[in-house]
Amino acid sequence: MTSVSTSTGIPAKIHTKLPHGFKCTGNVKESHGKQIYCVAWSRDLFEDEGMDKNLQIFATCGGNAVSIYEVHEKQRSSFILRQGYIDMDKSECFYCCAFGGRCLAEPIESRPSQQYNPSHHEGAVDIGDDRDVVKSHRKRPRQENKEITIDLGKDEMCSNEVYQCLINTDRFNGPQLLCVAGTGTTIKVIDVCRRMLYSTLSSHGDDIYDLKFSPTDEWLLLSASKDESLRMWNVKASTCIAVFAGHEGHRDCILSVGWHSDGNQFVSGGMDTTVKVWDVGEPDVHNAILRSQAVKPQRWDMKVDPESKFKLIYEQMPIFSTNKVHTNYVDAVQFAGDLILSKDTHNTVVLWKPIISKASRDKMQQRLPSEMIALREFTVNKCDVWFIRFSTDQQCQMLAIGNTIGEIKVWEIGTRPTKKHFANLIHQYCTSAIRMVAFNHDANYMVAVGDDATVWLWEATCNR
């Protein structure tokens, strides 16, 4: 399918059809009872050999718990719990999660599939009360389902067996890793295949609010923090590559970060009401990324030579910064083609274009470029609390966001962005704030999570 440019600057796909709407096919109330702040889909497609079905997985995080669900064909229930992880620090509160990188090996009970067919299900699934175990719902050859306790506070990376796998790059051929972070100031990387903690990434000095993997390098991770910094990580090497903060950086908590589709830029927004664009293609940053690829992960029981320690870089100058779009906290940002979508706590999501010329990239100039062109505003009623995040599908044809009374609105933003939403999703039992929504890879499903610890699955109806 060929890409074409549109009048809005958003890349579109030829013959892309939008759904008429979405219907709720199931919900789960997680037993921890805490707010669920984030949901993330894995890009992997799986095929279960023994049960003749294809499936996709997504993860949620709330309180000190992380859940991984599967959505698949030929199953009466809409989705089921695949794995559950818990941090033994009861004060931990996870704010964000993201799939990226690769596990050490392929799981024995499933394998990646080249094709995925969406399914239709009815009903809901009850997780139960055991939040500190991993439950295997899929039948294994000659094995009974097992319950495995996982302590996310314990680092498993020190075993010699695992370490030998880590330094053998050919072994990274499994499903995607899952990264989670929150109030604990560290990013915890979970190997969902081996069901263990792969590594912890420690460098931030305060809460971590967002995680995003690069669309062009599955090992590059960005994190946004309350400590007013953004950090770039090589997850395979468990190494912090660069810190984006300082002179022209954010002056308050950074709440959101998003990559450009080419992987050379990213955008950030925070409590200082500014939106900034950073250039990863800068020679210093680019060279640091290349150097990090030669770093071998260190076992935690090894003595590290100070001379061999990776020298990270500090980038203080974005290539664009503006406070002309919003006057309050900016808690959600992302690129949509070359345009930017951003949201504040005043019930609006704005689609706009930053004016960045080649001359404006000169760091020796006295002032950063800040001019922008507002293209469209999307009004979201009853969305005046911070940390409610929107989502777009992969092709940036649809924009979806929830509000404080459990409604979800969906707009078309592709070839002809409209102020009027084409779908308003309401369920009689969904009355709490929806913190985040997320489309799967094909936009056949959308998951919503919120303050009442409930996970909602919505399925796209027939295309228009």
Side-chain angles (χ1 to χ4, degrees):
M1 195 172 287
T2 306
S3 297
V4 296
S5 60
T6 70
S7 59
T8 64
I10 299 175
K13 302 286 184 178
I14 297 177
H15 305 311
T16 297
K17 293 183 179 181
L18 298 178
H20 276 296
F22 294 81
K23 61 181 179 181
C24 183
T25 60
N27 65 85
V28 166
K29 189 173 181 65
E30 297 189 355
S31 60
H32 56 77
K34 303 291 181 61
Q35 294 169 311
I36 303 177
Y37 285 108
C38 189
V39 56
W41 286 88
S42 170
R43 292 176 58 85
D44 289 341
L45 309 177
F46 294 95
E47 177 183 289
D48 195 304
E49 297 177 340
M51 301 185 71
D52 189 28
K53 64 176 182 284
N54 297 319
L55 59 92
Q56 288 182 303
I57 64 172
F58 66 87
T60 65
C61 61
N64 64 338
V66 180
S67 302
I68 300 177
Y69 299 92
E70 60 182 30
V71 181
H72 51 86
E73 298 176 350
K74 301 179 182 179
Q75 186 77 16
R76 292 180 181 178
S77 58
S78 58
F79 59 108
I80 63 174
L81 178 70
R82 186 70 183 100
Q83 295 179 9
Y85 299 88
I86 193 167
D87 195 307
M88 290 305 169
D89 180 0
K90 294 183 179 180
S91 65
E92 174 67 271
C93 180
F94 292 123
Y95 294 131
C96 50
C97 58
F99 282 98
R102 287 289 156 188
C103 295
L104 291 175
E106 192 172 297
I108 62 171
E109 68 269 39
S110 61
R111 62 183 175 83
S113 171
Q114 296 299 318
Q115 296 182 342
Y116 172 75
N117 296 318
S119 56
H120 168 68
H121 305 294
E122 299 290 339
V125 179
D126 182 10
I127 289 180
D129 296 326
D130 295 329
R131 291 293 309 157
D132 58 343
V133 299
V134 177
K135 293 186 177 180
S136 176
H137 291 271
R138 211 178 286 152
K139 293 182 180 179
R140 297 181 179 183
R142 301 178 185 177
Q143 288 186 3
E144 297 294 332
N145 291 341
K146 296 181 179 180
E147 295 184 354
I148 306 173
T149 301
I150 303 294
D151 179 358
L152 290 184
K154 180 181 179 182
D155 206 316
E156 301 283 354
M157 194 175 169
C158 59
S159 72
N160 187 63
E161 176 190 1
V162 175
Y163 177 70
Q164 292 302 320
C165 291
L166 289 175
I167 61 176
N168 182 357
T169 57
D170 294 335
R171 295 293 300 275
F172 292 99
N173 59 355
Q176 290 183 306
L177 299 163
L178 175 62
C179 294
V180 294
T183 57
T185 73
T186 61
I187 302 168
K188 299 186 177 182
V189 186
I190 303 170
D191 186 327
V192 300
C193 175
R194 298 173 65 90
R195 297 176 178 176
M196 60 178 284
L197 193 64
Y198 171 86
S199 66
T200 57
L201 307 177
S202 301
S203 184
H204 279 295
D206 216 322
D207 298 358
I208 300 170
Y209 289 127
D210 204 6
L211 297 171
K212 292 291 171 55
F213 275 94
S214 167
T216 57
D217 185 337
E218 62 183 358
W219 291 104
L220 276 187
L221 175 69
L222 282 173
S223 56
S225 174
K226 187 178 179 179
D227 66 7
E228 303 179 9
S229 76
L230 298 135
R231 294 175 190 254
M232 179 183 292
W233 307 82
N234 182 324
V235 176
K236 181 188 285 189
S238 300
T239 298
C240 183
I241 301 172
V243 177
F244 300 85
H247 179 57
E248 293 291 346
H250 287 278
R251 292 290 186 255
D252 208 332
C253 307
I254 306 176
L255 301 177
S256 183
V257 64
W259 287 90
H260 191 284
S261 59
D262 65 11
N264 289 325
Q265 296 177 1
F266 65 87
V267 60
S268 59
M271 286 188 175
D272 61 359
T273 76
T274 66
V275 178
K276 299 179 186 290
V277 178
W278 305 80
D279 190 1
V280 180
E282 290 279 341
D284 290 347
V285 180
H286 179 70
N287 290 335
I289 294 172
L290 295 179
R291 286 192 293 110
S292 74
Q293 296 172 358
V295 176
K296 292 183 179 180
Q298 299 290 331
R299 283 178 53 177
W300 304 116
D301 56 350
M302 281 184 172
K303 291 183 179 180
V304 180
D305 181 3
E307 294 298 323
S308 66
K309 192 173 181 180
F310 185 84
K311 294 178 176 59
L312 59 83
I313 67 167
Y314 292 86
E315 180 58 68
Q316 301 187 58
M317 296 289 291
I319 60 172
F320 177 88
S321 179
T322 187
N323 59 4
K324 298 180 180 180
V325 185
H326 302 286
T327 59
N328 211 320
Y329 297 168
V330 181
D331 55 0
V333 292
Q334 77 165 65
F335 273 104
D338 292 323
L339 308 180
I340 292 175
L341 278 164
S342 58
K343 170 195 164 290
D344 62 16
T345 55
H346 281 171
N347 297 312
T348 56
V349 179
V350 184
L351 177 67
W352 53 281
K353 180 179 180 179
I355 307 301
I356 307 175
S357 64
K358 290 184 178 180
S360 70
R361 297 172 185 268
D362 184 4
K363 292 186 178 182
M364 300 304 293
Q365 64 180 350
Q366 293 183 351
R367 298 183 60 184
L368 281 172
S370 63
E371 297 302 315
M372 46 76 66
I373 301 174
L375 301 174
R376 181 72 69 192
E377 284 193 5
F378 306 95
T379 301
V380 190
N381 296 326
K382 301 185 184 300
C383 191
D384 54 354
V385 298
W386 74 287
F387 220 58
I388 289 182
R389 293 179 278 186
F390 61 77
S391 176
T392 66
D393 65 308
Q394 187 184 24
Q395 297 178 11
C396 288
Q397 301 298 295
M398 292 182 289
L399 165 70
I401 188 172
N403 63 14
T404 58
I405 60 174
E407 298 175 342
I408 302 171
K409 289 181 170 57
V410 187
W411 290 266
E412 179 180 357
I413 61 169
T415 55
R416 51 182 189 279
T418 57
K419 284 188 176 182
K420 177 68 175 177
H421 52 269
F422 74 82
N424 185 28
L425 311 183
I426 301 174
H427 192 281
Q428 60 179 332
Y429 298 118
C430 184
T431 57
S432 297
I434 297 295
R435 289 290 176 175
M436 187 175 181
V437 296
F439 292 96
N440 72 333
H441 180 72
D442 298 321
N444 298 317
Y445 292 102
M446 178 174 61
V447 175
V449 295
D451 282 0
D452 64 351
T454 302
V455 183
W456 299 87
L457 182 67
W458 296 82
E459 182 181 4
T461 56
C462 56
N463 293 335
R464 293 193 281 182

